[in-house]
Amino acid sequence: MNPTSIATVSLSGDLADKLQAIAAAGFDGVEVFENDFLTFDGNPRDVGRMIADLGLAIVAFQPFRDFEGMPEPLRARTFERARRKFELMNELGAKLMLICSNVSPQSLGGIDRAAHDLSELGDLASKHDVRVGFEALAWGKHVNDYRDAWEIVRRANHERIGLILDSFHTLARCSPLEPIASIPGDRIELVQLADAPQLDMDVLSWSRHFRNFPGQGDLAVADFLRAVEATGYSGPLSLEIFNDQFRAGSAKRVAVDGLRSLIQLADQTARLSDPAKAEMPDRAPLLGVEFLEFALDEEPAQALTTLFSALGFHKSGEHRSKAVTRWSQGGINLIVNTEKDGFAQSHAIMHGPGVCALALRVADVGATMARARALKDTTFEQSVGPDEMEIPAIRGVGGSLIYFTEPRHDGAQSWHDDFIATGAGGSAPALLTDVDHISQSMDYDEMLSWLLFYTSLFALDRIPQLAIADPAGLVQSRPLVAADGSVRLILNGSQATRTLSSRFVSEHFGSGVQHIAFTSPDIFAAVTAMRAAGLDFLDIPENYYDDLEARYGLEPAFLDRLREHHILYDRDGEAEFLQVYTHVFAQRFFFEIVERRGGYAGFGAVNAPVRLAAQAREARPVTVPRPLHEG
């Protein structure tokens, strides 16, 4: 893998904060952004020493703007600016200066004019023993394509002048990638990488606010890097990200994400060329959800298991040595952990009652863990009791755990062996069969981070992000789905502070699982049985059902059944989706029951505002008006 680097402009904090985060993440080098240096209270030698002491190399000092094609007397001034920056670079210990193509309305066009300016600048760079890289900005006045930038560098024909390639500037303009392969690798000074969501807006605003790491957007960054590799380039791959979320978030987290994105990109690019060149296992296919583990104290645990019973679950096992029980139905396993020591208890203390871990079934646990380690995901280990199975795990959203299991057909030990079967229940037909999807709420600024986490480790398809209307603001929702639908995860985040998603995070000390959906083969039979067991469901307003009748022309008897059982409905072509919600448990999480008919693949997003409004009404404190004669 090429040396890794990131530009300081990509992170939040002052220069020292940024450099420490970059070094801690494991990068090899750094691009020092000029504004970060200018606002730092220290001279160039101080900065150079700080970077060296952190084990980093200065990959570039940037940017130098509006250089080529300037008329006199502005041209003379640009050369004087360059001379002073070269002197600064000598003190800093930087060897490469990035020059981006001119955007000044006063600049003059012409490839030969620009080449002559760069050649003369090369002479000045020689005197200071530095190099210059020229980059085409996608919005440059005269030079906005890497092919023109390369022709200028080629004509400049100076050993101190090279080309800088940037994936965003190339892909944003839909420039062809094939000509990159014809550029000699030793004439490329630096390769900068950035992804971005596909947005219909001017390219300058798109670039300045919405870039993200490779794998977090929609651009063909792997194809770009594959074209670069064909040149023989072996220098640094550097991330240059302008993103409002990144510059407001945790520098440490963003830096780790950045390195993870480069590791993932190198793996993806290798597989495009020759899968045998890949240095780590491929993304893990997910086979299903093995279990969900809830951590809580004994009193709320009693209320939760009562809820489980009403949902049709039966107590199927008791742990051999711990205060842990297993509840089962169909292919669903729920673990209730009330241990007073250990990870689950610490999670409950920090977050309150809720899901502290989920277990995902994979084809090869060893390969999955190897890929997780290669991606710098945080592994987790804890002491286990005698004859207790140690289940490999990594840290997930909000500090929770993700365990990995694999199908066992050889009689080898299974996590089920840790439990003594109770023999209770389980003979009646299952009302619920599988975990349909799991929704995790998080700070909005974390969404891209966890998107990268999941999609770099697992073979999950990204479904386009949705904006869902909560009564208190918009919630951004991003589904991630296994190709066969065996695992569906939804990431939710909101910039509004009082949405249900935001309050879940702020009032319970962090991100986590907010709702779990179970699949039912017959939602009407399931809800009828559950109501007979004493379970009540979220109230849905009459207006909703009047609108359903108008939209779909449903049979009156079918509509009456939906209304009676508080079931919501959606249709996509001939495919149908039915869903119903429990009330929120302990003001923390809730359950959904769904029935998919005819291959329906969505999540009933059209119904989400109705559900959120109903939950907001339930969460609203009841105010009793005072009699007029009082007070």
Side-chain angles (χ1 to χ4, degrees), residues 36-367:
D36 288 319
F37 169 76
L38 295 178
T39 57
F40 183 72
D41 186 18
N43 62 46
R45 293 186 185 276
D46 293 336
V47 174
R49 278 193 298 270
M50 179 168 57
I51 292 172
D53 289 345
L54 288 168
L56 297 169
I58 301 177
V59 167
F61 182 74
Q62 65 119 332
F64 191 81
R65 303 182 187 276
D66 296 339
F67 171 74
E68 86 284 357
M70 295 301 282
E72 294 291 2
L74 295 175
R75 184 177 186 275
R77 187 61 193 162
T78 62
F79 274 88
E80 175 58 20
R81 281 197 297 124
R83 182 189 65 78
R84 295 179 65 173
K85 295 303 178 186
F86 289 160
E87 291 177 349
L88 185 154
M89 289 169 61
N90 287 160
E91 292 188 69
L92 188 63
K95 290 295 186 180
L96 176 67
M97 181 167 74
L98 180 153
I99 292 183
C100 44
S101 58
N102 209 321
V103 299
S104 170
Q106 297 169 293
S107 65
L108 306 173
I111 285 179
D112 285 331
R113 176 183 284 108
H116 175 73
D117 285 348
L118 282 176
S119 180
E120 188 174 331
L121 185 65
D123 292 338
L124 183 60
S126 296
K127 295 178 182 178
H128 293 83
D129 192 26
V130 297
R131 306 185 315 279
V132 173
F134 185 56
E135 173 189 38
L137 291 180
W139 54 90
K141 188 172 189 295
H142 303 290
V143 180
N144 52 37
D145 189 299
Y146 76 88
R147 291 168 292 181
D148 291 333
W150 164 235
E151 183 60 21
I152 290 169
V153 168
R154 191 186 68 80
R155 294 190 193 186
N157 193 28
H158 198 290
E159 64 178 359
R160 297 283 175 163
I161 304 296
L163 179 68
I164 291 180
L165 291 172
D166 184 296
S167 64
F168 179 83
H169 295 300
T170 301
L171 298 169
R173 290 183 52 83
C174 300
S175 299
L177 301 179
E178 293 78 8
I180 292 176
S182 65
I183 302 171
D186 60 0
R187 299 303 306 279
I188 300 173
E189 292 287 347
L190 182 64
V191 172
Q192 295 180 316
L193 298 170
D195 203 342
Q198 197 65 56
L199 299 173
D200 185 15
M201 64 190 312
D202 70 277
V203 70
L204 177 57
S205 298
W206 189 18
S207 172
R208 284 289 174 259
H209 301 285
F210 296 101
R211 292 197 201 191
N212 48 38
F213 292 133
Q216 293 178 328
D218 302 316
L219 303 183
V221 184
D223 291 335
F224 169 86
L225 184 55
R226 188 182 181 192
V228 169
E229 287 183 345
T231 70
Y233 173 77
S234 59
L237 301 177
S238 190
L239 298 163
E240 185 192 43
I241 313 296
F242 297 89
N243 185 294
D244 297 344
Q245 285 178 242
F246 291 6
R247 287 178 286 198
S250 161
K252 181 179 179 180
R253 185 188 76 237
V254 171
V256 170
D257 286 347
L259 187 63
R260 179 177 293 131
S261 77
L262 290 179
I263 295 169
Q264 150 81 348
L265 179 63
D267 178 68
Q268 185 181 3
T269 306
R271 293 178 189 282
L272 287 174
S273 303
D274 181 0
K277 294 180 181 178
E279 298 180 357
M280 60 179 171
D282 200 358
R283 294 191 305 161
L286 294 175
L287 308 180
V289 177
E290 188 74 47
F291 63 78
L292 288 150
E293 182 175 356
F294 295 79
L296 61 178
D297 293 328
E298 291 178 2
E299 185 175 343
Q302 292 175 1
L304 182 61
T305 55
T306 299
L307 173 58
F308 286 170
S309 295
L311 287 167
F313 289 90
H314 65 279
K315 184 179 177 181
S316 59
E318 294 184 350
H319 198 277
R320 295 180 181 277
S321 60
K322 297 179 179 178
V324 179
T325 58
R326 182 185 64 203
W327 294 74
S328 303
Q329 179 175 191
I332 309 167
N333 289 288
L334 307 178
I335 306 299
V336 177
N337 190 327
T338 58
E339 276 285 291
K340 297 302 182 184
D341 297 305
F343 167 78
Q345 175 67 7
S346 64
H347 190 277
I349 291 172
M350 177 62 71
H351 298 280
V355 174
C356 67
L358 62 97
L360 299 176
R361 198 176 306 119
V362 297
D364 187 332
V365 168

Side-chain angles (χ1 to χ4, degrees), residues 472-487:
L474 289 180
V475 176
Q476 300 298 325
S477 186
R478 188 63 182 263
L480 306 172
V481 179
D484 63 356
S486 58
V487 175

Side-chain angles (χ1 to χ4, degrees), residues 295-522:
L296 61 178
D297 293 328
E298 291 178 2
E299 185 175 343
Q302 292 175 1
L304 182 61
T305 55
T306 299
L307 173 58
F308 286 170
S309 295
L311 287 167
F313 289 90
H314 65 279
K315 184 179 177 181
S316 59
E318 294 184 350
H319 198 277
R320 295 180 181 277
S321 60
K322 297 179 179 178
V324 179
T325 58
R326 182 185 64 203
W327 294 74
S328 303
Q329 179 175 191
I332 309 167
N333 289 288
L334 307 178
I335 306 299
V336 177
N337 190 327
T338 58
E339 276 285 291
K340 297 302 182 184
D341 297 305
F343 167 78
Q345 175 67 7
S346 64
H347 190 277
I349 291 172
M350 177 62 71
H351 298 280
V355 174
C356 67
L358 62 97
L360 299 176
R361 198 176 306 119
V362 297
D364 187 332
V365 168
T368 303
M369 288 298 292
R371 184 174 178 89
R373 292 186 187 97
L375 289 165
K376 311 298 183 185
D377 295 332
T378 304
T379 59
F380 175 82
E381 295 180 1
Q382 64 180 343
S383 60
V384 296
D387 300 322
E388 185 179 345
M389 182 178 180
E390 183 174 354
I391 309 177
I394 61 174
R395 290 282 187 176
V397 171
S400 63
L401 299 182
I402 301 177
Y403 290 109
F404 298 120
T405 68
E406 61 188 45
R408 294 289 188 179
H409 306 292
D410 54 3
Q413 185 183 15
S414 163
W415 70 274
H416 286 279
D417 297 333
D418 290 349
F419 291 84
I420 300 171
T422 63
S427 58
L431 303 176
L432 309 173
T433 56
D434 298 287
V435 175
D436 186 86
H437 61 270
I438 300 169
S439 291
Q440 296 178 310
S441 290
M442 58 199 62
D443 284 329
Y444 177 77
D445 291 344
E446 290 185 277
M447 287 187 68
L448 285 174
S449 178
W450 291 111
L451 170 69
L452 179 64
F453 169 85
Y454 280 120
T455 57
S456 63
L457 181 57
F458 303 120
L460 291 168
D461 296 328
R462 299 186 303 172
I463 308 301
Q465 186 162 302
L466 300 171
I468 307 296
D470 181 289
L474 289 180
V475 176
Q476 300 298 325
S477 186
R478 188 63 182 263
L480 306 172
V481 179
D484 63 356
S486 58
V487 175
R488 301 179 181 92
L489 302 171
I490 301 178
L491 311 182
N492 295 318
S494 177
Q495 290 179 299
T497 60
R498 298 306 300 165
T499 61
L500 184 68
S501 175
S502 292
R503 286 188 287 111
F504 172 89
V505 175
S506 63
E507 294 174 7
H508 298 282
F509 306 104
S511 311
V513 173
Q514 188 169 20
H515 109 249
I516 302 158
F518 300 122
T519 303
S520 174
D522 184 341

